Amino acid sequence: MAEEVILRFDGVTFEYEYKKPILDEVSFGVRTGAKLTLMGQNGAGKSTIFNLIRKKIQPKSGNIFITNGATVGTAFQAVAKEDFDLTVEQYFAKAFEVVPSNLRSKISKVMEAVNFEIPVDRRVGDLSGGQQARILLAFALIQDPDILLLDEPTNNLDQAGIEHLIQFLIMYNKTVIVISHDADFLNSFTEGVLYLDVFTKKIEIYVGDYYLVVAEIQKRIEREQMKNAQLEKQIRDRKEKVNFFANKGGKMRKLASKLKEETEEMEENKVEVRKEDKTIRNFTIPNQEIIGNVVTIKSVKIIQNHEPIIKDVNIVLRQKSRLLISGPNGIGKSTLLRSLVNNASEGATIMNGVVVGYYSQDFATLDFDDTVFESLQKSLTEGTDIQEMRAIAANFFITGELMSRKVSQLSEGQKGLLSFAKLVLMRPGLLVLDEPTNHINFRHLPIIAQAINEYKGAIILISHMPDFVKEIEFNEHLELDKI
């Protein structure tokens, strides 16, 4: 007996007021227990699909059927800022309309599932990015959903966390749909792809592991390009004949008219070949010229068994120094960077007068109430005018109507690109980068790595992405779990 379909889109069309149509009569089905990747170009509408499944938005036309009232749980990309002041227990209580009397027991069960142990009275905003990633997944699981939606679940997770998540998903017996840019992660457990094409605005269904599907999509693109090339040659030949016969008069002119109609039909049969996402242009982060010790680190505070421990180190960063900081989730990497930038660290200091370009993994440096234009303007330095600011922003796909939007309305990926545009405008003497690859389309990453590698100021970097780290030449490495 075939497995039943738990989720079905039937001719669903959707569009935003300020955008072109996102979905055009989309139809597909998801079987109970399936583990699928939702894939598509930037801006194709992957998050829109999730919001439609969650019933946060309604389709313009068509229907979405969820079998027998199946429940939906979502692990989002980031903890909402308004939840930062909640304790872990208060945060999980938000998952229920009526808070169960055995909430602590339920929390303990889902925390075990995500391989995380934390006192329930801890403030959510005090957790590291990797710990918050685990909390987000646990928040979805505590609802015991029939359909689990995961939006970039590996962001901020260390390798151990990613491996545990893969094992969990392999053993998980319910339906899972994942949005992720992590190809190795996806290939470990997904069995098919829902491909949302930004041009046709349709969903195509592919069966097989992630790498096989990506190869199949590439072959299809090549077939479409070949078909178009053949049609274009035939169209050119026809147009030459049309022009030749049209000048002959009589029957020849009728033949020219017929050939013209056939040529127009051939042009209509050309396929709009899907294009991969554009990449941002190569860019340079100008640096403030500094002589002397930009950063001095004499001691660091690390977390072991939820308790702080001070460790002595001896690190001095000057212009062109590059420091990589590594260690497992929760050891205190992001806390170290925040305290350094905020001048709140007893063991680490930044030289007076140094302009610090800080990329925070939770975008804490962005004022979400600013418009994008206002946010960029705040980073303007002397000698850069508004026209140049707009040109720099355009390199990061921040143009037109995006400028008047509030930062809070941007996608996580757009917030990341906005952060990089601000770094360029700031001309910093020190770059402090905390997981700068999170939320960023993987096609942009080589360009970002090159810009960081060519930057002539001092750099401190945290990243859990080995392929990104190896593109940057470091002369200092602080392993917090080995000091």
Side-chain angles (χ1 to χ4, degrees):
M1 180 176 151
E3 293 173 309
E4 71 173 0
V5 171
I6 192 169
L7 169 69
R8 181 159 59 89
F9 274 50
D10 187 7
V12 171
T13 296
F14 181 83
E15 60 186 50
Y16 291 105
E17 287 179 16
Y18 58 86
K19 286 185 176 178
K20 296 174 184 176
I22 300 290
L23 307 177
D24 181 19
E25 296 187 355
V26 163
S27 298
F28 66 91
V30 176
R31 297 197 174 278
T32 302
K35 294 184 175 72
L36 302 174
T37 299
L38 177 56
M39 184 179 165
Q41 300 97 324
N42 271 354
K46 300 184 292 293
S47 296
T48 298
I49 293 272
F50 271 17
N51 284 330
L52 286 164
I53 295 170
R54 296 172 58 229
K55 299 186 177 176
K56 293 298 179 184
I57 53 178
Q58 298 299 318
K60 182 180 178 184
S61 61
N63 296 292
I64 299 167
F65 300 99
I66 296 179
T67 305
N68 298 329
T71 55
V72 179
T74 308
F76 296 102
Q77 289 191 31
V79 173
K81 286 192 179 297
E82 59 264 27
D83 292 336
F84 276 16
D85 285 331
L86 300 179
T87 65
V88 169
E89 185 172 7
Q90 289 168 335
Y91 181 67
F92 280 108
K94 288 184 66 174
F96 303 94
E97 288 184 16
V98 178
V99 180
S101 58
N102 64 338
L103 177 62
R104 287 201 172 192
S105 172
K106 285 179 175 290
I107 292 172
S108 177
K109 188 176 177 184
V110 293
M111 294 294 255
E112 187 178 334
V114 300
N115 196 31
F116 186 31
E117 187 180 334
I118 193 83
V120 293
D121 60 353
R122 280 286 298 278
R123 180 177 168 273
V124 171
D126 291 337
L127 303 181
S128 73
Q131 290 172 328
Q132 287 183 10
R134 287 173 165 87
I135 288 277
L136 288 162
L137 177 58
F139 184 85
L141 293 177
I142 205 168
Q143 301 166 58
D144 192 26
D146 300 302
I147 302 170
L148 180 61
L149 307 178
L150 304 179
D151 194 354
E152 299 286 1
T154 61
N155 276 353
N156 295 319
L157 284 182
D158 56 21
Q159 197 55 43
I162 292 171
E163 287 169 4
H164 183 85
L165 178 57
I166 289 168
Q167 291 170 12
F168 169 80
L169 291 170
I170 288 170
M171 301 301 293
Y172 193 62
N173 60 5
K174 295 189 178 182
T175 308
V176 182
I177 306 175
V178 186
I179 297 171
S180 176
H181 285 117
D182 188 333
D184 289 338
F185 165 72
L186 291 171
N187 202 54
S188 300
F189 70 92
T190 56
E191 59 203 38
V193 166
L194 300 171
Y195 186 94
L196 177 54
D197 189 273
V198 74
F199 297 103
T200 64
K201 299 170 180 60
K202 306 279 190 191
I203 284 274
E204 299 160 5
I205 301 172
Y206 295 85
V207 177
D209 72 37
Y210 183 77
Y211 287 126
L212 286 174
V213 170
V214 169
E216 173 57 32
I217 290 171
Q218 185 56 39
K219 284 179 189 171
R220 182 163 176 173
I221 292 170
E222 289 166 3
R223 287 196 299 270
E224 288 170 353
Q225 289 171 331
M226 193 177 296
K227 181 183 175 184
N228 278 357
Q230 291 168 345
L231 279 171
E232 282 168 5
K233 183 177 185 303
Q234 291 171 10
I235 288 165
R236 281 197 305 272
D237 292 344
R238 289 293 177 97
K239 282 182 175 177
E240 287 173 7
K241 288 176 182 174
V242 167
N243 292 334
F244 177 77
F245 292 138
N247 294 322
K248 295 295 182 183
K251 289 183 179 178
M252 290 295 188
R253 187 168 290 171
K254 284 185 181 177
L255 177 59
S257 179
K258 184 185 176 191
L259 284 172
K260 187 178 180 184
E261 286 176 13
E262 290 177 358
T263 303
E264 287 170 354
E265 187 179 338
M266 289 170 75
E267 285 184 322
E268 286 176 9
N269 287 335
K270 280 175 65 176
V271 182
E272 183 163 27
V273 177
R274 76 195 79 201
K275 302 179 186 72
E276 297 301 336
D277 290 321
K278 291 179 183 176
T279 55
I280 57 176
R281 295 177 192 166
N282 289 332
F283 67 97
T284 300
I285 304 173
N287 66 291
Q288 175 191 21
E289 289 290 339
I290 298 170
I291 297 171
N293 298 340
V294 179
V295 180
T296 304
I297 307 175
K298 295 294 185 184
S299 65
V300 295
K301 184 191 292 183
I302 64 171
I303 307 299
Q304 288 183 351
N305 300 318
H306 309 300
E307 294 295 328
I309 299 172
I310 304 296
K311 295 277 190 176
D312 291 332
V313 295
N314 184 22
I315 294 173
V316 175
L317 303 183
R318 299 170 66 85
Q319 192 162 289
K320 297 185 181 178
S321 297
R322 285 102 177 274
L323 169 65
L324 175 66
I325 298 178
S326 63
N329 287 147
I331 199 167
K333 300 186 298 296
S334 295
T335 303
L336 170 60
L337 295 195
R338 276 196 301 271
S339 61
L340 175 67
V341 169
N342 294 329
N343 197 27
S345 172
E346 293 179 9
T349 55
I350 299 172
M351 179 196 288
N352 287 336
V354 172
V355 176
V356 180
Y358 177 34
Y359 186 110
S360 172
Q361 61 172 250
D362 60 1
F363 303 122
T365 56
L366 300 177
D367 185 335
F368 282 31
D369 289 327
D370 279 345
T371 64
V372 172
F373 182 88
E374 289 166 343
S375 183
L376 289 164
Q377 201 171 24
K378 284 180 178 178
S379 298
L380 270 181
T381 50
E382 191 176 341
T384 307
D385 58 22
I386 296 295
Q387 188 175 349
E388 189 177 350
M389 180 190 89
R390 286 183 178 275
I392 288 168
N395 287 345
F396 295 92
F397 303 141
I398 300 168
T399 57
E401 50 96 18
L402 270 187
M403 283 288 191
S404 59
R405 274 201 222 166
K406 291 231 171 150
V407 172
S408 60
Q409 294 175 302
L410 299 182
S411 71
E412 299 303 294
Q414 287 169 327
K415 287 172 191 161
L417 292 181
L418 170 63
S419 299
F420 277 109
K422 285 170 70 67
L423 292 179
V424 173
L425 291 167
M426 288 173 70
R427 302 174 181 269
L430 169 66
L431 277 183
V432 178
L433 306 171
D434 189 0
E435 299 288 1
T437 63
N438 281 359
H439 316 294
I440 301 288
N441 187 306
F442 67 92
R443 292 185 180 87
H444 304 325
L445 296 184
I447 295 165
I448 290 170
Q450 181 180 330
I452 293 170
N453 207 35
E454 291 175 353
Y455 173 69
K456 293 182 172 60
I459 297 170
I460 302 176
L461 173 77
I462 295 170
S463 176
H464 284 120
M465 186 173 279
D467 288 344
F468 180 77
V469 169
K470 74 181 183 186
E471 295 299 316
I472 301 166
E473 296 170 16
F474 292 94
N475 49 22
E476 296 272 6
H477 185 185
L478 178 58
E479 299 175 87
L480 294 184
D481 53 334
K482 294 182 180 177
I483 53 176

